[in-house]
């Protein structure tokens, strides 16, 4: 590329260059005097492990300047005393070839040194970066899966939601016990007063208007009880509806009492109680009994709902813990890899700083 058959230069002497004048034409056609990189690529592409290949022969057979064996034979590397400097020597009878051979070897030694020092670290950094990318993807998928699961199951705060269910269950149990006691006591008293009234109570119970009023009371008690146990019973519409039912219930109770007292034929008392007073007490217990009965039925519906809540939330808890454990594991692995990556990059930086001191001094 830079040779001159008539004049010596810094690349090659004229006499040395003239020996290359008989280079095969197909090889000479690969030379682009304006582009060294392009020429190198063309020569490397041309080379084949064949005895008849011109480039292969120059590198692998005897040639005083360019064969690998002769370059290695003429090259000497010696450490200078106990210092961190080395002396690289090469000799040839052409000063331009000697200089450029040393210059090329110096650059190659620098590249080899960099590769030896950085090669392992670069591979480690690449590994950690790939692992971080993989773990980041897994972590995102795990977190998205948890978010989707919470949305599907309508979970905002699992601990608080299950706490509220537990509180509701405890309150339900206490109220159920009280209602069971009211139910039993009012039934006993109603039966007691009914027994005292005897045939008169039977006659009252057969009355069509009495039956209709009692059914109306039962219906209203059931509606009020259901509204009481609804979780959304604090809305304005529900309160107004409940108040309306209570007014109707009071009217039905008054009507039931009025109807029943008409059947009291005499003022003769049993155990010093007038029939009229006995009927009033009997009706009072009947109304209280029917109310307790309606509330117990509403409580059964509420119990079923609470049981459904327990069945709903129980598997959710274990699933959430499993998902959170998985996220925690991936996250801890990710942080560990990130720490290792930072350590590898720090080592790489230290190597870069020490390698930066390499200099050709002469």
């Amino acid at each position: 590329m830079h040779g001159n058959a008539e004049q010596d230069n810094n690349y090659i002497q004229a006499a040395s260059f003239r020996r290359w004048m008989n280079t095969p034409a197909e090889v000479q056609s690969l030379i682009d005097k304006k582009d060294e990189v392009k020429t190198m690529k063309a020569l490397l592409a041309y080379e084949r492990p064949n005895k008849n290949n011109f480039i292969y022969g120059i590198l692998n057979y005897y040639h005083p300047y360019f064969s690998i064996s002769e370059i290695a034979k003429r090259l000497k590397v010696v450490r200078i005393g106990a210092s961190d400097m080395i002396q690289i020597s090469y000799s040839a009878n052409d000063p331009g070839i000697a200089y450029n051979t040393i210059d090329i070897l110096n650059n190659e030694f620098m590249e080899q040194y960099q590769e030896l020092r950085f090669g392992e670290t670069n591979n480690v950094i690449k590994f950690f970066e790939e692992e971080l990318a993989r773990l980041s993807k897994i972590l995102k998928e795990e977190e998205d899966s948890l978010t989707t699961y919470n949305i599907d199951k309508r979970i905002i705060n699992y601990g608080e939601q299950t706490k509220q269910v537990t509180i509701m269950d405890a309150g339900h149990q206490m109220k159920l016990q009280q209602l069971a006691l009211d139910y039993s006591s009012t039934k006993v008293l109603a039966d007691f007063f009914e027994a005292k009234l005897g045939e008169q109570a039977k006659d009252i119970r057969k009355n069509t208007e009495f039956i209709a009023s009692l059914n109306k009371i039962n219906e209203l008690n059931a509606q009020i009880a259901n509204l009481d146990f609804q979780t959304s019973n604090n809305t304005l519409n529900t309160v107004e509806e409940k108040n309306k039912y209570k007014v109707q219930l009071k009217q039905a109770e008054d009507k039931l009492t009025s109807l029943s007292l008409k059947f009291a034929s005499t003022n003769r008392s049993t155990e010093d109680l007038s029939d009229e007073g006995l009927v009033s007490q009997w009706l009072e217990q009947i109304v209280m009994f029917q109310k307790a009965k309606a509330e117990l039925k509403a409580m059964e519906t509420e119990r079923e709902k609470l049981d459904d809540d327990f069945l709903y939330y129980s598997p959710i808890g274990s699933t959430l813990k499993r998902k959170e454990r998985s996220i925690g594991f991936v996250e801890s692995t990710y942080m560990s890899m990130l720490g290792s990556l930072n350590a590898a990059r720090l080592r790489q930086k230290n190597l870069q700083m020490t390698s930066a001191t390499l200099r050709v001094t002469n």
Side-chain angles (χ1 to χ4, degrees):
M1 291 184 67
H2 302 289
N4 189 320
E6 303 298 331
Q7 185 177 359
D8 295 344
N9 59 38
N10 289 335
Y11 291 95
I12 191 170
Q13 288 184 325
S16 300
F17 182 72
R18 282 195 292 270
R19 298 192 188 104
W20 294 96
M21 300 301 289
N22 62 347
T23 300
E26 61 179 340
V27 176
Q28 292 193 35
S29 67
L30 302 175
I31 308 300
D32 184 345
K33 292 183 177 290
K34 296 180 180 179
D35 193 333
E36 192 170 300
V37 174
K38 182 179 177 181
T39 299
M40 275 297 301
K41 289 181 179 179
L43 292 172
L44 290 172
Y46 175 83
E47 181 194 4
R48 293 288 186 276
N50 187 300
K51 65 179 182 178
N52 296 320
N53 186 281
F54 185 80
I55 302 299
Y56 181 82
I58 289 175
L59 296 177
N60 292 278
Y61 304 142
Y62 173 79
H63 189 283
Y65 301 146
F66 305 126
S67 70
I68 296 172
S69 59
E70 280 300 307
I71 293 175
K73 187 187 298 184
R74 296 166 182 263
L75 183 69
K76 291 181 175 55
V77 181
V78 179
R79 183 177 182 181
I80 301 177
S83 70
D84 58 357
M85 298 181 68
I86 59 173
Q87 178 176 295
I88 301 173
S89 303
Y90 173 80
S91 63
N93 61 5
D94 187 309
I97 290 176
Y99 174 84
N100 284 284
T101 300
I102 285 287
D103 186 43
I104 292 170
L105 287 175
N106 274 335
N107 292 330
E108 184 64 24
F109 292 154
M110 297 278 277
E111 290 180 9
Q112 289 291 320
Y113 178 81
Q114 297 280 348
E115 185 176 339
L116 287 171
R117 294 296 302 270
F118 295 148
E120 182 179 350
T121 304
N122 290 340
N123 290 337
V124 170
I125 289 175
K126 182 180 178 182
F127 167 77
F128 285 135
E129 288 176 340
E130 290 175 350
E131 280 298 291
L132 282 172
R134 184 181 68 85
L135 290 170
S136 178
K137 182 180 178 182
I138 294 174
L139 185 60
K140 184 178 184 303
E141 289 173 352
E142 293 281 355
E143 290 174 340
D144 289 346
S145 174
L146 178 60
T147 301
T148 302
Y149 184 79
N150 283 331
I151 293 173
D152 291 342
K153 299 298 182 181
R154 303 179 67 82
I155 302 298
I156 298 175
N157 186 326
Y158 179 78
E160 189 62 31
Q161 286 174 272
T162 51
K163 179 182 176 181
Q164 291 301 319
V165 172
T166 304
I167 292 173
M168 290 171 60
D169 181 66
H172 181 275
Q173 293 292 346
M174 292 179 62
K175 191 159 187 176
L176 185 61
Q177 292 177 4
Q178 183 60 47
L179 284 175
L181 181 62
D182 293 344
Y183 178 86
S184 300
S185 61
T186 53
K187 187 175 188 310
V188 169
L189 286 173
D191 291 345
F192 171 76
F193 290 128
E194 189 167 340
K196 289 293 185 181
L197 288 170
E199 293 298 324
Q200 190 175 15
K202 293 180 181 179
D203 292 337
I204 294 174
R205 280 193 175 276
K206 292 177 183 178
N207 184 271
T208 305
E209 290 186 84
F210 177 87
I211 294 171
S213 296
L214 190 60
N215 288 339
K216 182 67 174 177
I217 289 172
N218 292 341
E219 180 184 341
L220 291 169
N221 275 325
Q223 290 172 329
I224 292 172
N226 287 331
L227 289 174
D228 282 336
F229 291 113
Q230 286 178 5
T231 56
S232 59
N233 60 356
N234 57 343
T235 63
L236 182 61
N237 291 337
T238 305
V239 172
E240 291 178 352
E241 187 177 8
K242 189 162 55 175
N243 289 336
K244 182 184 70 174
Y245 287 145
K246 285 182 177 180
V247 172
Q248 294 176 7
L249 177 63
K250 182 65 172 60
Q251 293 172 350
E253 289 174 352
D254 291 343
K255 183 177 180 181
L256 183 69
T257 302
S258 176
L259 287 170
S260 301
L261 291 177
K262 288 180 181 179
F263 289 95
S265 58
T266 64
N267 290 328
R268 186 170 55 83
S269 63
T270 302
E271 296 181 359
D272 296 329
L273 289 173
S274 66
D275 284 348
E276 184 176 332
L278 194 61
V279 169
S280 296
Q281 290 177 326
W282 173 57
L283 290 174
E284 182 181 355
Q285 295 304 316
I286 286 178
V287 170
M288 291 174 63
F289 171 74
Q290 294 299 333
K291 180 181 179 183
K293 183 179 178 181
E295 289 180 344
L296 277 174
K297 187 173 182 180
M299 287 287 281
E300 290 177 3
T301 303
E302 186 68 13
R303 176 73 268 166
E304 291 175 0
K305 183 179 180 303
L306 285 171
D307 289 342
D308 290 342
D309 285 343
F310 276 108
L311 291 173
Y312 179 78
Y313 281 109
S314 294
I316 290 177
S318 58
T319 303
L320 286 176
K321 287 181 181 178
R322 187 162 60 249
K323 287 181 175 292
E324 288 167 357
R325 266 198 314 271
S326 179
I327 290 173
F329 173 76
V330 176
E331 190 174 27
S332 63
T333 306
Y334 179 90
M335 296 306 296
S336 176
M337 287 290 179
L338 184 60
S340 299
L341 174 61
N342 289 334
R345 283 175 172 166
L346 181 60
R347 173 174 169 75
Q348 183 188 54
K349 195 66 179 177
N350 289 334
L351 289 174
Q352 287 175 346
M353 293 176 68
T354 56
S355 300
T357 60
L358 289 176
R359 292 288 186 274
V360 178
T361 60
N362 191 343

